[in-house]
Amino acid sequence: MSSRKVIELFFDVVSPYSWLAFEVMCRYRKVWNIELRLRLTFLGGVMEGSGNKPPGLVPNKFLYMGKDLNRLSEYFNVPLKPPADVPEAMFKKGSLNAMRFVTAVQEMEKSGDERVERVSRELWRRIWYEDRDITEPASLSEAAMKAGLSDSEIKRALELCNSQEVKEKLKSATEEALDYGAFGFPLVVCHLNGKPELFFGSDRFELLAHCIGEKWLGPLPDKSTAKL
């Protein structure tokens, strides 16, 4: 078997489209010959650094986004349901505390990213399915508890949230995404022949598969494999 191709997924749990890409890439990490690296980043910093505008500031984009997410939720089998006040959840409250918390969890990982995956998923579920807060310590603690972290691990992660080390790590990853050319999330960076290839959005999986010499088996590869 040839060496695994390194694929980085830059994401923020405030982004619903990132959730779709996250679930698909996590499903395909065992199907494709890849090494998936989860890159925790701050969408607000990328939007500001790239000069991009959120879809919520463009009325037609905002209306389309709601309908689009309903269709995508069914297609990707991800329980997406926009919060009652999307601008409040995404732009006023934001995700800086949440992403610092997940970054703290990543700092605590001894190997792999299993807990990062679980905690990220629970935070997405809170904001994009249950319409619940992801900014307060109690909210972060509840999400981490559901993800299987112990009380002591949650306490440690909350302490690390405010450390300069975690703040700098999140800032550095955000700057790295901008250096790659990010203007929003999700951003998939595939390293091919020593060069990074960028794929933006949650609708580039067929093209990504083509570029890395793999097959796109749809959003649920396990079901597709079972049919073959």
Side-chain angles (χ1 to χ4, degrees):
M1 180 179 288
S2 60
S3 59
R4 293 188 297 170
K5 295 177 176 64
V6 174
I7 292 183
E8 299 179 276
L9 173 63
F10 290 83
F11 68 89
D12 184 321
V13 296
V14 81
S15 161
Y17 292 98
S18 287
W19 191 8
L20 302 173
F22 174 89
E23 296 296 354
V24 168
M25 294 310 303
C26 285
R27 293 166 188 168
Y28 271 88
R29 74 195 313 176
K30 295 180 180 178
V31 177
W32 289 345
N33 184 32
I34 62 173
E35 177 188 338
L36 178 63
R37 297 178 182 174
L38 301 179
R39 303 299 309 276
L40 310 171
T41 35
F42 178 47
L43 179 59
V46 165
M47 298 296 282
E48 182 178 350
S50 64
N52 197 4
K53 292 183 179 180
L57 298 181
V58 182
N60 283 354
K61 280 187 178 181
F62 183 73
L63 290 173
Y64 175 80
M65 178 178 158
K67 297 177 182 178
D68 192 42
L69 289 176
N70 287 333
R71 293 182 301 215
L72 291 170
S73 173
E74 180 180 358
Y75 177 71
F76 285 104
N77 193 28
V78 174
L80 270 171
K81 186 168 64 175
D85 192 338
V86 174
E88 170 78 15
M90 289 190 72
F91 312 128
K92 292 183 180 179
K93 286 188 173 182
S95 59
L96 184 57
N97 289 346
M99 293 313 296
R100 283 177 176 170
F101 183 76
V102 187
T103 300
V105 171
Q106 190 174 59
E107 280 289 284
M108 294 163 53
E109 291 269 29
K110 293 182 173 61
S111 61
D113 53 24
E114 182 180 349
R115 288 188 294 184
V116 169
E117 180 180 337
R118 295 201 310 264
V119 172
S120 297
R121 184 174 289 117
E122 288 300 331
L123 289 170
W124 263 308
R125 182 180 292 275
R126 283 183 71 86
I127 184 174
W128 284 102
Y129 183 65
E130 299 172 352
D131 192 7
R132 302 177 70 188
D133 175 73
I134 61 166
T135 65
E136 298 296 330
S139 304
L140 300 173
S141 297
E142 186 175 345
M145 182 181 65
K146 288 185 176 181
L149 272 66
S150 67
D151 289 343
S152 61
E153 289 172 333
I154 294 171
K155 181 180 179 182
R156 178 59 178 153
L158 288 172
E159 291 172 350
L160 283 173
C161 272
N162 297 315
S163 70
Q164 197 61 33
E165 181 182 7
V166 162
K167 291 178 180 179
E168 286 299 324
K169 183 173 182 178
L170 181 61
K171 181 180 178 181
S172 176
T174 302
E175 290 173 347
E176 189 174 345
L178 284 167
D179 288 342
Y180 274 129
F183 53 87
F185 291 146
L187 177 70
V188 174
V189 179
C190 180
H191 296 270
L192 295 171
N193 302 317
K195 296 181 179 180
E197 292 286 343
L198 274 60
F199 301 86
F200 169 74
S202 57
D203 57 355
R204 295 292 185 270
F205 300 116
E206 287 185 78
L207 182 58
L208 172 61
H210 172 75
C211 289
I212 64 176
E214 297 282 358
K215 291 184 178 180
W216 168 245
L217 302 172
L220 300 169
D222 289 342
K223 287 188 176 182
S224 298
T225 303
K227 293 178 182 179
L228 296 179

